[in-house]
Every structure is written in C-alpha cells, then in structure tokens.
Amino acid sequence: MSLDKPYKDVPGTTIFDAEMSRLGYHLNQFCMSLMKADNRARFKANERAYLDEWPMTEEQKQAVLDRDLNRCISLGGNIYFLAKIGATDGKSFQQMAGSMTGMSEEEYRNMMIGGGRSIEGNRSLGEKK
Amino acid sequence: MARVTASVYTSHVPAIGAAIDAGKTGEPYWQKVFAGYDFSKQWLKDEKPDVIFLVFNDHATAFSLDLIPTFAIGTAAEYTPADEGWGPRPVPKVIGHPKLAAHIAQSVIQDDFDLTIVNKMDVDHGLTVPLSLMCGQPQAWPCPVIPFAVNVVQYPAPSGRRCYMLGQAIGRAIASYEEPLKVQIWGTGGMSHQLQGPRAGLINKEWDNAFLDRLIADPEGLSKMPHIDYVREAGSEGIELVMWLIARGAMSDVAGGAKPTVKHRFYHVPASNTAVGHLILENN
Ligand SMILES: [Fe+2]
C-alpha cells in the first residue's frame, strides 16, 4: 500500500517529507556547514569550489549559485537549512520568504503588514478564488 | 510533590529576537508585538516558577539531517544559545534542571513515549525567543529550564493526538517528583505562517483564533485535528502548533481536575512572516 500524501494538492507548497529529505540530504548538509564562520568565508571566496566538495547534483549546485530557493526546494532543500545560505548573504527570513513569491521585497513586506496572504483560494489546487 | 502551576503558549519568530537584541522594541512595528507581553512579564515575576519545561523545535541548528529525533528531552546542566548563521543571540546561557529532567525522562519512557535523551545541545531561537518575550533582557533567566525539542522540520511531525497524550504523561511525571517544585510548561511556535514557496506569507486569522478557542475549551477535540488541516489552513510551518498540545495536555483539567483560568490572550499579525499568538492558562 502506498503512503497517503494529501498535502500534494496544497498550492505553492512543497512538504519536506522523507522522500524530499532523501533527495536533498547533501544539499541540506552543505547548508548546515555554513553555520561555521570559516566555512562561510571559504564559500564566499569561491562558491563553485566549495560546492564541488559536496556530492550534490549539478542542478542543486546551480540552484544554490542562482540563489533560486524555489528550485532548491524542488530538489530536496528545506527552508530551515536554506536559511543558512541567506544568513551567509546577510538576508533576513522575510527577504528569503519573499524571494520565492514573485513579489518585490516591498510588495511582500506590505502584504504582511496588511495581514498576510489570504487563505481564500489558497487551500487546494481546485479551490476557487 | 512538584506540580504544574500554569502553561504558557507563544510564537517564537526569530525576527522578534533580532528586534530585541537590536534595541528596536520601541519602533511602532514592534511595539504592537511587545505590547502583548507586558502583562506576561509582570505575571511571570509574580508567579515565578522553580522550573520551566519548554517545548520548542530546533530549526536545523542542533539537529541536522544526520539525526532527527521526534521527541528529545534535555537533561544537561546548561545549554549555550546557538549561532544560527547570524551569530549567537546575546542572551544568558540556559541553566537546565538535570535532576527533574532525568526523572521526567524515566517516567515518560516507562509510560510508552520513546524520548531521545540529550546531554549536549545548543538552543536556537525556538527556545530563547519565548524566554526573551516573557522575561525581557535579564542578566540571567529567572529559573532553570528543561528544553524539550519536537521534530517539525521533516514531515511528519508527531500527530496532535500524540503530542496531547505526551503532555498528559509529562504532567504525571512532574506530579510524581518528590521536591515541591512549581513547574510551568510552555508550548511554542506558530501560529499560521508559511516560509517557503509561492504561497509564502500565508496567514489565517480566523483559523488561528478558532485554534486558541479550542485549545482553551476543547483540547481533546482539537488534538484529533489531522496534519493536513494545519498545513492547508495555517501554512506549511503552522504545523509547529502541535507543540502547544503538549503543554495543554499537562494541565490538570485533562487529568480530571478543575478547568484552568485564562489569565491572558493576545493575537497580532504580523511579526515578519508570522501570526503571533500568546496565551497563559493557570491551573486551579
Ligand atoms: Fe519555529
């Protein structure tokens, strides 16, 4: 019997389950390494060379170089791990979250001040706005 | 004997810690958040516990993907605030209570909950932000703290039901400890928020407030809510709210005692990406 994954139809959302965790193991462990100051320095000095020390896929490495967080997540990245890249870049959690929505930093901040993204129309892929 | 005197529930947004540490609490944006904790700071002074049992989650700080314990109890003498990538927060180190923690671990494991025992762990904003919100910026935290970490990073987190029953086991464990300690249990995280993907920024005020209502009046029914409801309605990171059910399960009414008194309730949107919820329940 297969596992029930009802969360697959939540729009704009990737749930970090065992399957994603398996795909993203090295990507996430690379992120974790950035919690050490000397690793951050080595990464910043030569990102490509640092990434090549990790058995990540080429797609994962490119997504990191591009700072494409949506792509990182689709390749098994988890936001709490990816946040270490943002910290290395001096980005806040709000800047990182906003970067995945297609909105500008200011638009995203204003949406949050205005009460956040509405749940209406965002529950499932089939829900009508 | 030891007893649970109260439970406290609060969000633990990292930006709140950053605002406190940078001295921004007076800014209008943050004032609206911190105003909700003025009562709580005074209340904590008046009702000073001997120990705080603090339920939180680690955010890829102490636990990487190398080790993912569903429930982990800290039995160490002390815990250092972690460097989460922005440098460690300038807050006091956290003093543990190894004797009570070890007692709870033994009791709860014998009560069929398979805890991981942790003797060395740095603690991240999940634990230190609630302390800052409730205590301000003291030289030392007011009492020892037992950190209790729950996995909510890799799906599935434990179910609400499991958390609620674990809370009951923790309540029994505390009640069987011989010293007459006043213990508070805190549940942290939430409320609605999503930090990833095109749906990031999701907030659901109605759902959050219904959650608070049910946590107070119908925790048993609330505990049966499936994971998918949290994810769909409160965002992928809203699932942190299952941790509140651990604290709620440890309250006396769940074991047949009197209903708790609601001492304080607060709700505000936003703090960064997140809806801030806060509740204090006192045992009678
Ligand atoms: Fe959290």
Side-chain angles (χ1 to χ4, degrees):
Chain A
M1 209 180 84
S2 64
L3 292 166
D4 183 27
K5 296 185 176 177
Y7 45 84
K8 291 279 190 191
D9 83 329
V10 179
T13 303
T14 306
I15 296 300
F16 186 69
D17 60 9
E19 185 189 352
M20 297 310 291
S21 180
R22 187 174 52 73
L23 285 177
Y25 177 71
H26 293 296
L27 167 59
N28 290 313
Q29 295 300 79
F30 145 73
C31 293
M32 202 73 192
S33 76
L34 298 177
M35 286 177 73
K36 293 207 170 77
D38 42 335
N39 287 342
R40 289 196 287 269
R42 282 208 303 123
F43 174 65
K44 278 192 200 164
N46 188 340
E47 296 196 3
R48 182 75 223 190
Y50 189 84
L51 285 166
D52 283 338
E53 294 171 20
W54 295 84
M56 294 158 58
T57 66
E58 185 52 37
E59 279 176 300
Q60 289 172 331
K61 291 177 189 175
Q62 195 57 49
V64 171
L65 291 169
D66 295 342
R67 301 296 192 272
D68 185 342
L69 295 184
N70 281 324
R71 185 96 184 109
C72 287
I73 284 173
S74 76
L75 299 170
N78 170 273
I79 187 58
Y80 292 123
F81 289 84
L82 297 171
K84 320 295 182 199
I85 304 175
T88 303
D89 291 338
K91 293 238 188 307
S92 72
F93 236 113
Q94 185 167 81
Q95 289 170 315
M96 282 184 269
S99 80
M100 288 179 270
T101 63
M103 304 169 85
S104 73
E105 224 176 286
E106 195 186 353
E107 284 168 345
Y108 184 82
R109 187 172 349 106
N110 288 338
M111 175 181 78
M112 294 317 301
I113 291 170
R117 184 183 305 284
S118 169
I119 185 68
E120 298 310 324
N122 278 314
R123 290 184 176 86
S124 65
L125 291 172
E127 188 188 359
K128 290 271 180 300
K129 298 236 183 204
Chain B
M1 301 300 257
R3 64 196 169 89
V4 174
T5 54
S7 51
V8 174
Y9 310 82
T10 180
S11 307
H12 61 212
V13 187
I16 293 177
I20 295 171
D21 302 341
K24 291 183 183 168
T25 56
E27 290 183 4
Y29 180 99
W30 289 111
Q31 229 298 313
K32 293 180 196 131
V33 174
F34 293 108
Y37 291 82
D38 287 343
F39 170 90
S40 314
K41 288 195 189 83
Q42 190 56 48
W43 173 84
L44 190 68
K45 279 185 186 140
D46 297 341
E47 305 293 332
K48 192 173 126 28
D50 298 308
V51 184
I52 295 166
F53 188 94
L54 205 158
V55 181
F56 75 112
N57 67 286
D58 180 76
H59 304 77
T61 304
F63 303 120
S64 70
L65 291 186
D66 283 340
L67 190 65
I68 309 170
T70 294
F71 296 120
I73 186 167
T75 50
E78 59 180 59
Y79 309 88
T80 305
D83 180 353
E84 299 178 52
W86 289 269
R89 292 194 61 212
V91 293
K93 69 181 173 190
V94 175
I95 304 301
H97 197 300
K99 203 172 158 208
L100 176 59
H103 168 91
I104 293 172
Q106 178 152 341
S107 171
V108 167
I109 291 169
Q110 282 176 333
D111 220 346
D112 294 339
F113 289 87
D114 308 316
L115 307 185
T116 297
I117 292 165
V118 184
N119 282 312
K120 187 169 167 53
M121 167 168 69
D122 286 353
V123 288
D124 73 11
H125 70 269
L127 185 124
T128 60
V129 166
L131 287 170
S132 295
L133 279 169
M134 295 294 294
C135 310
Q137 295 176 288
Q139 287 300 307
W141 302 120
C143 67
V145 174
I146 299 174
F148 191 90
V150 179
N151 164 48
V152 297
V153 172
Q154 181 170 321
Y155 192 94
S159 68
R161 188 83 195 138
R162 187 77 178 145
C163 288
Y164 187 60
M165 290 169 72
L166 170 62
Q168 295 170 46
I170 292 167
R172 288 191 290 274
I174 291 169
S176 69
Y177 187 71
E178 279 190 4
E179 271 177 79
L181 299 178
K182 288 190 287 183
V183 181
Q184 287 183 7
I185 180 162
W186 294 11
T188 74
M191 293 190 85
S192 59
H193 67 304
Q194 175 152 337
L195 302 175
Q196 52 109 354
R199 202 173 75 137
L202 188 92
I203 298 287
N204 192 340
K205 288 184 194 177
E206 259 182 39
W207 190 93
D208 285 342
N209 278 290
F211 186 94
L212 292 170
D213 292 341
R214 292 185 76 192
L215 189 75
I216 295 165
D218 178 28
E220 171 77 26
L222 181 63
S223 76
K224 291 173 187 156
M225 186 159 68
H227 278 145
I228 184 62
D229 290 16
Y230 290 85
V231 171
R232 208 183 282 294
E233 298 286 339
S236 49
E237 279 63 56
I239 195 121
E240 288 184 344
L241 283 167
V242 295
M243 294 187 287
W244 292 30
L245 284 160
I246 297 178
R248 187 64 183 90
M251 295 296 284
S252 318
D253 62 326
V254 180
K259 285 270 170 213
T261 302
V262 180
K263 296 299 284 189
H264 186 54
R265 177 173 173 163
F266 173 68
Y267 184 77
H268 173 75
V269 177
S272 186
N273 305 287
T274 306
V276 175
H278 174 40
L279 201 58
I280 298 177
L281 301 182
E282 251 177 32
N283 262 338
N284 287 304

